[in-house]
Amino acid sequence: MRTLLVLGAALLSLGAAPSPAPASLPERMADTGGGSQLITAEAPDTGATTGTLTWWDRRGGRWVEAGSAPARFGAKGLAEGASRRQGTSTTPTGLYRLPYAFGVRARPAGTRFPYARVTERSWWCQDNHARAYNRWVEGLPGDCRATEAEHLASYGTPYAYALVIGFTYERPVRGRGAGIFLHVDGRGATAGCVSVPADAMRAVLAWADPARRPHIAVGTRGGPTAITRY
């Protein structure tokens, strides 16, 4: 009798349907931007300064991981992008376009994004009273104070390679924040950007194809700023 029970259990086990594979992170998101490439930057919670950057391809109706790397966030963690305030050292959560790439160093091999090479005259204006707020400028405009702007060439290691994150970029919102990038790691947490090791940044630039409309989603594992909300 025991032999028959064991045999029956084994046969039932063989006939059971396999458990479905868990849905990938992009498949659980509310929106991925409509393209066939996506970057996710996920932190454990809003107080975290580290997490994971993953880049994904849409293939055969599914999202497939193309690569991943450890990521760093703002020194004060993350904040909802729609209500974030400038100068808080928080990384804004949300789903954003990637307008173009830039760098202190030459364009990495394989880069397809438009790539702006930093010069000694390159600045990113963050002055709320300037017409060029949240814009790259060659030569600092008279209405943009140097104390309220980043001299890009002075950030040789972090800005060796970077992608502009479209946070308030198309329609700048003064006081919300400016100069949010995906860039190479510096010495520690960022002032509000997302950063990764240099080899990962080069890999992302070689992978990203503007024709496939990649976006970046930044968020947490759960809660009001969960990455799956965006």
Side-chain angles (χ1 to χ4, degrees):
M1 177 65 74
R2 180 172 179 177
T3 301
L4 290 174
L5 288 172
V6 171
L7 180 59
L11 290 173
L12 287 172
S13 167
L14 289 171
S19 300
S24 66
L25 177 56
E27 289 162 350
R28 291 183 280 115
M29 290 173 56
D31 189 6
T32 57
S36 60
Q37 287 187 328
L38 177 70
I39 301 171
T40 56
E42 187 179 34
D45 52 59
T46 54
T49 59
T50 60
T52 304
L53 189 91
T54 309
W55 47 108
W56 308 81
D57 286 308
R58 183 80 173 167
R59 298 176 188 164
R62 296 178 60 248
W63 285 102
V64 180
E65 181 178 323
S68 67
R72 293 174 178 171
F73 299 99
K76 297 293 180 65
L78 298 86
E80 171 60 54
S83 57
R84 176 191 185 264
R85 302 305 300 168
Q86 186 166 332
T88 55
S89 294
T90 55
T91 298
T93 61
L95 178 69
Y96 305 107
R97 288 182 59 248
L98 298 163
Y100 62 92
F102 70 90
V104 171
R105 298 184 184 177
R107 174 197 299 259
T111 301
R112 283 166 286 187
F113 258 80
Y115 190 87
R117 184 77 183 271
V118 171
T119 74
E120 283 298 325
R121 301 185 69 249
S122 302
W123 294 77
W124 197 276
C125 181
Q126 300 180 13
D127 192 326
N128 283 284
H129 302 291
R131 284 175 293 178
Y133 178 74
N134 203 20
R135 285 292 182 272
W136 173 303
V137 289
E138 283 295 303
L140 198 62
D143 66 345
C144 184
R145 293 166 291 172
T147 54
E148 297 295 324
E150 286 190 348
H151 183 228
L152 300 180
S154 299
Y155 297 83
T157 296
Y159 294 169
Y161 315 108
L163 269 167
V164 177
I165 294 176
F167 173 67
T168 80
Y169 184 78
E170 284 80 9
R171 297 180 179 179
V173 180
R174 286 167 169 75
R176 186 66 52 75
I180 302 298
F181 313 127
L182 170 61
H183 63 69
V184 175
D185 283 339
R187 294 181 179 179
T190 73
C193 296
V194 181
S195 74
V196 293
D199 59 349
M201 194 67 228
R202 286 190 291 266
V204 168
L205 288 174
W207 160 86
D209 182 354
R212 297 177 63 186
R213 295 182 295 155
H215 287 65
I216 185 169
V218 183
T220 55
R221 287 180 193 157
T225 55
I227 198 168
T228 52
R229 289 183 54 239
Y230 302 113

